[in-house]
Amino acid sequence: MDEKKEALVPELEELLHKFTELLTGEATPERVEMVKVWCLYTTMAKAMPPLVQHWASEPEHQDARNRIREIIEQIKQWNQAKNQGR
């Protein structure tokens, strides 16, 4: 079951790649995945804050919440470093 899943909208994948590059200075596969998490989480938090707050308050989600926070902080650091390097 190692079939590679095709992108539903390949052009969106290309846009995400470019967005990651402009946001963080580099679009490695890991950074693209991190930006996906960041985009999805922040969108959900804005669209349905009570749902995200409830999810984040559950003890079994503490590790995931902490990982998301680390991802968000890392993206901020990359963005600041990229902007300072102009």
Side-chain angles (χ1 to χ4, degrees):
M1 285 218 136
D2 276 340
E3 291 181 36
K4 187 167 183 172
K5 193 173 165 184
E6 287 189 38
L8 191 56
V9 182
E11 296 85 356
L12 184 60
E13 292 295 319
E14 294 168 14
L15 179 61
L16 177 63
H17 185 86
K18 187 62 175 179
F19 179 74
T20 301
E21 181 183 331
L22 293 173
L23 182 68
T24 70
E26 191 177 358
T28 64
E30 180 185 21
R31 286 189 186 194
V32 170
E33 286 304 309
M34 290 171 79
V35 169
K36 281 183 188 180
V37 169
W38 172 68
C39 288
L40 187 57
Y41 187 80
T42 57
T43 299
M44 289 188 299
K46 288 177 184 176
M48 294 187 183
L51 172 65
V52 173
Q53 289 169 359
H54 173 74
W55 177 85
S57 71
E58 295 292 321
E60 65 266 19
H61 298 138
Q62 294 305 303
D63 289 341
R65 189 186 81 184
N66 291 338
R67 180 67 181 126
I68 290 168
R69 283 183 177 172
E70 290 170 5
I71 288 169
I72 292 169
E73 186 56 38
Q74 182 62 66
I75 289 170
K76 285 180 185 178
Q77 289 175 12
W78 284 328
N79 182 257
Q80 288 172 349
K82 182 191 130 328
N83 290 338
Q84 289 174 352
R86 285 185 179 183

